[in-house]
Amino acid sequence: MTATNRIYSEKSPYDDENILSIYLKEINKIDLLTREEENTYARSAALGDPDASEKLIKANLRFVVSARRGIYAIFCFITISSATLIHAFVTDNFALKYVAAYSEKNLNIHYKISAFWGGNDGSLLFWLLSLSLFTAIMAFQNRKDKNHLFIPYSYTVLMVIMIFFLVLTSFLTNPFELLPSYLVPTDGRGLNPMLQTYGMMFHPPALLLGYV
């Protein structure tokens, strides 16, 4: 076990009220540490220096707070993207290749909305939306330094998974891909008839939520 890990695994006078105060009020006033400074403070804290321990905890909590804010921002942007795609379906924007492939003018409004996850591209975006939602909920529930030993690792794993889906939806399965102006149809091909039932409206999102 390293010196830094020993600091976080042991109870210190900075684990409760002081950490909460730092986490919520003072985090932006704290400078980040260089690798040399972190090693120096870690060695001093391992020897029982309370000032070094406090400095190390403050600096590392800043990363956690920044990551939490980043998670909120990603969730907001993905929500905006999803709402934009739903709006494209509802308004029959067939300039989008995905909308033209899975919707049509005569399709009922609720089926136009469910066409959002009617194809591979939209399903991956919905999967990403669900993942970002649950990640944001987890970050919000732990905003008061609860489970602070594990939260950095949880943030890292979840963000790596979200980055994977962001790369997919941005470059390989982009639901916002535009058709050339001369190929924009007057009407779309429509949703698969097998998906035009109330049961199939909820089955795909329930399945994807289960994966999340």
Side-chain angles (χ1 to χ4, degrees):
M1 182 180 294
T2 65
T4 302
N5 290 336
R6 283 199 299 272
I7 294 168
Y8 291 114
S9 62
E10 297 174 357
K11 186 70 175 178
S12 77
Y14 305 101
D15 288 337
D16 298 315
E17 297 300 329
N18 288 343
I19 290 300
L20 285 177
S21 177
I22 295 165
Y23 195 93
L24 297 174
K25 299 177 182 179
E26 302 178 8
I27 205 69
N28 291 322
K29 303 176 184 177
I30 300 167
D31 295 328
L32 298 179
L33 300 178
T34 64
R35 178 175 296 183
E36 293 75 14
E37 288 174 331
E38 185 169 357
N39 290 334
T40 300
Y41 284 123
R43 286 192 293 267
S44 299
L47 296 175
D49 184 347
D51 293 332
S53 178
E54 182 182 16
K55 183 71 174 180
L56 194 61
I57 292 173
K58 286 181 179 180
N60 281 278
L61 278 177
R62 178 170 176 177
F63 286 109
V64 177
V65 173
S66 297
R68 175 165 56 84
R69 292 171 179 171
I71 288 171
Y72 293 157
I74 290 175
F75 169 65
C76 290
F77 285 125
I78 295 173
T79 300
I80 292 172
S81 298
S82 301
T84 302
L85 184 59
I86 292 175
H87 180 266
F89 273 107
V90 172
T91 58
D92 298 323
N93 185 358
F94 299 121
L96 294 182
K97 182 179 179 180
Y98 185 70
V99 175
Y102 293 97
S103 185
E104 60 183 333
K105 290 181 178 179
N106 294 329
L107 197 64
N108 291 331
I109 184 67
H110 49 278
Y111 290 134
K112 287 183 178 181
I113 295 174
S114 65
F116 172 32
W117 51 78
N120 182 60
D121 299 358
S123 294
L124 287 174
L125 179 58
F126 180 82
W127 198 343
L128 178 59
L129 175 65
S130 304
L131 179 62
S132 65
L133 169 63
F134 284 105
T135 303
I137 291 174
M138 183 273 291
F140 181 78
Q141 289 177 334
N142 291 277
R143 67 192 184 282
K144 294 185 178 179
D145 201 36
K146 184 170 62 174
N147 302 318
H148 68 276
L149 291 176
F150 308 104
I151 285 301
Y153 303 102
S154 301
Y155 285 178
T156 301
V157 171
L158 290 169
M159 289 300 293
V160 167
I161 297 173
M162 278 199 284
I163 289 172
F164 171 75
F165 280 103
L166 283 168
V167 171
L168 282 181
T169 55
S170 298
F171 301 104
L172 300 178
T173 61
N174 184 4
F176 297 99
E177 181 180 352
L178 293 172
L179 290 168
S181 58
Y182 58 88
L183 291 180
V184 175
T186 57
D187 201 356
R189 289 189 295 179
L191 186 64
N192 187 332
M194 295 182 63
L195 298 178
Q196 295 186 40
T197 63
Y198 288 106
M200 290 306 294
M201 282 179 59
F202 300 104
H203 178 267
L207 182 65
L208 293 173
L209 286 171
Y211 289 150
V212 172

